[in-house]
DNA sequence: TATTATTCGTGAATTAATTCTCTATTGGAG
DNA sequence: CTCCAATAGAGAATTAATTCACGAATAATA
């Protein structure tokens, strides 16, 4: 029996999907037509059943003894991640990180199209960075309403983050990608994904510390 | 009975700790001496028991009816995350993202000190970016051996990532912070933390898609 | 054509993480 | 001084995620 599409997926699974895509695009370049869970699990040091269950989320159906079609699998994963459609985004905060994101070509692969950037600093306003115009943040809400913007990227400091989020909500932006070290308050129908660098660094340094402690004990 | 320090911690807990720190440093600025789990859980929309268990990982002891000492809690969390000591780091790949990381002042708060940057592109070598010298990547391994480098930050493309990781391993770097969209192969005693932007973006766009589907059904 | 090895898919078992429930403590109010 | 309300802490119960075990399908091989 076919399972009914769930409205949520395990977040750990979602976080693994992009890694599968990296392996798969390489295989596509190498002109491989089929791939098995076993192969992917070896490449990424994961349990094969886990890979199978993750891939099943996308609705892919494999052939026993053969595996999955590489091309089809890529399409299904992209579709599952929502990377099969283009999404227009506004970016607020053209500091170092914001600038880097504006220049990150790879976002095209994920359907992310940064349309315009915003800032408060007059020295930045009026510039064009990697082909993206920088306007005053006051203009954002109205432009978002007029142009149907899907995603708001917040790369301002923690002090301004909530304020910027409020403006995005007013502009009917339904997805916020928040790089500021601040927990944002938004209505229920707005999705916030936090992408603080500190989280990742904390996991690394914490693990380094723990492994150091372990070594001292042995 | 006092629990013996574990050698590992739930990764979801580790990932929440930096958010606690954001709240706590704000409270410290506001001169608050004590804070309860209930307060923190309200700020961050988390379950109070979850907060309590997370904080317990750090070894903090609270007072009933009062809560935890803000200052002490900050120190314990920082210690648990390994942010109480300074770690020297090399960064390889001075593109947009690498440059942004070099200019990210906040890393000081986490004890991360980027000593030198490396690249292969002759146009970048010899420059000084945000006070950090850029050298040819061939010099990295020897310099790492001589200077005792704790962390290697990889901000090169996927094609060069493994090669760079190998050089870091040769230089006795025990922690790798990998921004390249590639799964790295390293010895057991080296810790790799992946920080691909695509993962976070995938969670956001995937959730946006799922919430859209849900809406269409209702 | 029959056999074998590989792989998918699924349900069960296990392990990890979260949430619930209760007890003990303690500062403040009456 | 006594009672009350807020809170930490710890163990139990629940839920989520991972891993195990096995049956069914199928391409390759003898």
């Amino acid at each position: 029996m076919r399972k009914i599409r769930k409205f949520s997926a395990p977040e750990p699974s979602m976080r693994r999907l992009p890694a599968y895509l990296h392996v798969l695009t390489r295989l596509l370049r190498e002109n491989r037509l089929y791939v098995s869970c076993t192969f992917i699990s070896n490449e990424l040091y994961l349990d094969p059943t886990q890979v199978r269950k993750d891939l099943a989320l996308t609705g892919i159906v494999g052939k026993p003894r053969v595996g999955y079609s590489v091309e089809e699998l890529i399409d299904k994963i992209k579709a599952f991640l929502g990377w099969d459609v283009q999404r227009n985004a506004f970016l607020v905060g053209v500091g170092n990180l914001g600038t880097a994101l504006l220049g990150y070509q790879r976002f095209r692969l994920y359907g992310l199209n940064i349309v315009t950037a915003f800032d408060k600093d007059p020295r930045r306003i009026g510039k064009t960075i990697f082909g993206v115009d920088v306007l005053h943040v006051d203009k954002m809400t109205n432009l978002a309403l007029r142009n149907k913007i899907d995603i708001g990227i917040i790369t301002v400091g923690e002090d301004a983050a909530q304020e910027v989020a409020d403006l995005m909500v007013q502009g009917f932006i339904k997805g916020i990608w928040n790089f500021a070290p601040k927990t944002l308050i938004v209505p229920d129908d707005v999705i916030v994904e936090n992408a603080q660098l500190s989280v990742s660094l904390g996991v690394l340094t914490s693990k380094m510390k723990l492994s150091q402690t372990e070594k001292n004990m042995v």
Side-chain angles (χ1 to χ4, degrees), chain A:
Chain A
M1 201 193 72
R2 207 81 178 74
K3 271 239 192 70
I4 290 167
R5 171 73 68 78
K6 277 181 61 187
F7 295 130
S8 73
E11 194 158 316
S13 300
M14 283 201 245
R15 299 182 71 89
R16 283 188 294 266
L17 288 172
Y20 300 149
L21 223 35
H22 298 151
V23 174
L24 291 167
T25 44
R26 203 193 70 217
L27 295 177
L28 191 71
R29 276 203 305 275
E30 295 167 1
N31 296 315
R32 271 191 63 158
L33 294 178
Y34 287 91
V35 66
S36 72
C37 286
T38 323
F39 183 90
I40 297 176
S41 67
N42 285 334
E43 287 287 309
L44 300 176
Y45 305 95
L46 298 172
D47 182 275
T49 308
Q50 184 169 63
V51 174
R52 203 169 291 126
K53 294 227 156 139
D54 287 345
L55 298 183
L57 290 173
T58 68
I60 189 86
V61 175
K63 276 196 215 168
R65 183 68 210 249
V66 175
Y68 305 94
S69 155
V70 172
E71 209 176 340
E72 192 192 350
L73 191 46
I74 289 175
D75 289 346
K76 294 256 178 169
I77 292 177
K78 283 193 175 175
F80 184 83
L81 288 173
W83 290 355
D84 55 340
V85 291
Q86 179 157 309
R87 289 174 205 274
N88 294 320
F90 276 176
L91 181 146
V92 181
V94 190
N96 293 321
L97 186 57
T99 304
L101 296 184
L102 290 177
Y104 198 60
Q105 297 307 317
R106 188 169 264 270
F107 284 154
R108 298 270 154 209
L109 297 175
Y110 313 139
L112 186 72
N113 178 37
I114 305 180
V115 178
T116 314
F118 300 87
D119 209 296
K120 222 158 52 176
D121 187 336
R123 285 167 301 181
R124 290 172 181 161
I125 292 162
K127 283 192 176 172
T128 299
I129 299 177
F130 297 113
V132 179
D133 292 332
V134 181
L135 308 182
H136 194 282
V137 68
D138 287 348
K139 297 187 177 160
M140 182 186 63
T141 305
N142 276 327
L143 282 172
L145 288 170
R146 271 197 278 154
N147 293 293
K148 172 78 189 102
I149 298 299
D150 307 288
I151 292 178
I153 305 172
I154 299 182
T155 44
V156 299
E158 55 185 318
D159 298 329
Q162 181 62 56
E163 198 182 330
V164 170
D166 292 342
L167 294 174
M168 287 176 172
V169 169
Q170 282 172 43
F172 271 87
I173 290 176
K174 294 302 180 200
I176 294 181
W177 199 14
N178 176 39
F179 287 81
K182 178 92 169 61
T183 299
L184 302 176
I185 299 164
V186 297
D188 280 349
D189 65 332
V190 175
I191 295 166
V192 175
E193 169 66 18
N194 290 303
Q196 286 86 7
L197 292 173
S198 59
V199 171
S200 175
L201 180 61
V203 174
L204 175 63
T205 50
S206 175
K207 284 182 180 172
M208 287 176 76
K209 195 189 153 77
L210 291 168
S211 92
Q212 194 54 47
T213 313
E214 195 167 5
K215 216 173 288 171
N216 291 342
M217 305 288 286
V218 177

